[in-house]
Amino acid sequence: MTRRVLVTGAAGFIGSHVAAALLRRGDAVAGLDSFTDFYDPALKRRNVEEVRRLGELPLLEGDVRDPAAVREALRGCDAVVHLAAKAGVRPSLLDPVGYADVNVRGTAVLLEEARAAGVRTFVSASSSSVYGARSAAPFVESDPCDRPVSPYAATKRAMELLCRSFQVHGSMDLTCLRFFTAYGPRQRPEMAIHAFARAIGEGRPVPFYGDGTSRRDYTYIDDIVDGVLRSLDRASGFRIYNLGESATTSLSELVALLEEAVGRRAILDRRPDQPGDVPLTCADLTLARAELGYEPRTPLREGLARFVEWMRTPRG
Ligand SMILES: NC(=O)c1ccc[n+]([C@@H]2O[C@H](COP(=O)([O-])OP(=O)(O)OC[C@H]3O[C@@H](n4cnc5c(N)ncnc54)[C@H](O)[C@@H]3O)[C@@H](O)[C@H]2O)c1
C-alpha cells in the first residue's frame, strides 16, 4: 500500500531513524519538528541531512501545538507517527507545565487535526515510565498505570488515554508504544549510555546515581524502529504495546559493558538517587510478539559496540 506518513519529531533521535526506515522501504514521508534546544539543534539538522541522503523528506519547521502548522504538515498524509515531545524524566520535575503543554495539549491538537484530515493510522510514543516505581517484573500492558512518579510519566499516560478517547470517532486506528530506554546512533546526548560513553572516552567522571542496582531494559534503535513500522502496518482499533528487549541490566553492569566497549575504565562520580527515577523497567513482550510479530534482535553488548563505533565516527 502506498502511503504518506507524517513523522512528528522527525529531526530527533528516534524520529530520524523512523523516517529513514520508511524511506528505505519506499513509503513517502513528511516531517514536523520545531528543533527545540533541549539539546543542540545542530545535531538535529545533521540527523535530517543524513535521512535526506536516502530520499525526499519535506520537513515543516513548526510546533505540534500549532493547528495551522499541523494542518499544513498533514497535507496528503494517511498515517502519523507521533514522536515529538518533551522527553526525559528528570527535567520534567522542573517544568511540569511545559511537559503537559507539549505532550498532552500538543497530542490533542495533532489528534484533532489528524482526524479532520482523514488520517487512518495514528501511532504514538509512550514510555515504560508509565508503569511507575515497581519492583515486580516484567511489566504487562494490562497492569495498572495510575501511579506515575514524574510529570513526564503522567503526560505519557494522559497521552495514551487521549488516544483511546479518539477511538469513539471510529475513523482512526490508534496505537501507543511504550518504549523501554532506546539507545543507538544519534541517541540524545543527555541519556545515560551516550553521556557515560563520552565521559569514559574522554576520561571525565561519570555521574553515577544511587548504588548501581537500579535496572533498565535497554532497547536498540533498530528494534524500536521495527516495532514502529510493524505497528503502522498492523494497526487495528486501539492498542498499547511494550517495545523493549525483555532483559534487564543494572547500572553497575551497564558501566562495565561500556568500559569494555570504549576500552577504558570509568571514573565514577557517585551521587544520591534522583527523584523521578524508577528502580526497574522490564518489558513483557507477549502481546507485541503475538500481534505485531515483534522480536528484538540486538543484545546490549552488540548494540553498545555499534553505538561506540558511531560515536567515534567523525561526521561532516
Ligand atoms: N529515547 C527513549 O529512550 C524514549 C523512551 C520512551 C519514550 N520516548 C519517546 O519517544 C519520542 C522520541 O524521543 P527521542 O529520544 O527521539 O527524543 P528527541 O528529543 O531526540 O526527539 C524529539 C523531537 O521532537 C521535537 N519537538 C519537541 N517539542 C516539539 C514541539 N512542541 N513541536 C514539534 N516538535 C517538537 C524535538 O525538536 C526533537 O527533535 C518522545 O515522544 C519520547 O518521549 C523515548
Side-chain angles (χ1 to χ4, degrees):
M1 185 177 70
T2 311
R3 53 160 95 230
R4 184 177 171 89
V5 184
L6 173 66
V7 180
T8 73
F13 163 43
I14 299 174
S16 61
H17 283 284
V18 168
L22 288 167
L23 287 175
R24 265 193 218 103
R25 75 175 196 176
D27 284 2
V29 186
L32 174 68
D33 200 300
S34 61
F35 294 84
T36 66
D37 62 2
F38 181 57
Y39 59 91
D40 185 358
L43 297 175
K44 301 179 186 182
R45 301 208 180 272
R46 195 154 67 193
N47 293 344
V48 173
E49 274 168 34
E50 289 178 13
V51 177
R52 284 186 169 150
R53 286 183 206 141
L54 300 167
E56 227 177 288
L57 176 65
L59 192 145
L60 188 87
E61 200 160 329
D63 197 298
V64 286
R65 293 167 292 180
D66 174 0
V70 169
R71 220 167 292 146
E72 191 182 334
L74 276 169
R75 203 162 293 145
C77 294
D78 56 0
V80 171
V81 177
H82 177 36
L83 301 165
K86 272 187 176 287
V89 165
R90 291 172 197 160
S92 76
L93 296 163
L94 302 173
D95 182 22
V97 176
Y99 272 68
D101 199 42
V102 172
N103 298 359
V104 184
R105 187 162 76 87
T107 301
V109 170
L110 185 63
L111 280 165
E112 181 51 10
E113 294 301 330
R115 187 195 60 76
V119 164
R120 304 281 321 156
T121 312
F122 192 98
V123 174
S124 61
S126 184
S127 157
S128 59
S129 63
V130 300
Y131 288 106
R134 294 178 30 169
S135 49
F139 301 174
V140 182
E141 289 88 342
S142 55
D143 290 346
C145 290
D146 52 5
R147 294 184 179 199
V149 292
S150 66
Y152 171 72
T155 65
K156 287 292 173 178
R157 182 65 181 137
M159 184 214 71
E160 293 180 350
L161 298 174
L162 256 179
C163 287
R164 183 170 182 115
S165 75
F166 269 69
Q167 219 198 346
V168 297
H169 300 296
S171 58
M172 271 196 287
D173 293 319
L174 300 127
T175 306
C176 299
L177 300 173
R178 292 178 177 165
F179 299 152
F180 283 67
T181 318
Y183 75 100
R186 305 188 195 135
Q187 192 194 34
R188 302 199 316 263
E190 95 288 358
M191 290 186 75
I193 288 178
H194 196 155
F196 286 15
R198 279 206 192 278
I200 295 171
E202 292 164 13
R204 286 184 287 111
V206 169
F208 188 89
Y209 294 98
D211 63 1
T213 58
S214 63
R215 303 187 74 85
R216 288 282 174 284
D217 192 349
Y218 294 101
T219 317
Y220 192 65
I221 184 64
D222 292 3
D223 292 326
I224 292 274
V225 169
D226 179 61
V228 172
L229 266 51
R230 284 171 184 276
S231 305
L232 271 177
D233 296 343
R234 299 183 193 201
S236 166
F238 175 76
R239 291 283 191 280
I240 293 179
Y241 297 110
N242 289 337
L243 291 185
E245 303 275 329
S246 210
T248 72
T249 305
S250 73
L251 189 59
S252 298
E253 287 161 356
L254 177 72
V255 169
L257 286 167
L258 279 169
E259 288 177 329
E260 183 187 304
V262 176
R264 195 164 172 174
R265 292 304 299 271
I267 306 159
L268 298 187
D269 171 14
R270 290 184 180 276
R271 299 177 186 184
D273 271 324
Q274 285 279 297
D277 278 355
V278 295
L280 168 74
T281 65
C282 180
D284 182 290
L285 298 179
T286 311
L287 195 63
R289 282 194 174 108
E291 295 192 357
L292 300 177
Y294 171 75
E295 194 55 62
R297 296 184 196 289
T298 317
L300 186 57
R301 182 176 264 115
E302 189 182 321
L304 290 179
R306 287 197 220 162
F307 173 76
V308 169
E309 191 188 328
W310 169 82
M311 191 180 77
R312 287 179 168 155
T313 307
R315 279 173 302 280

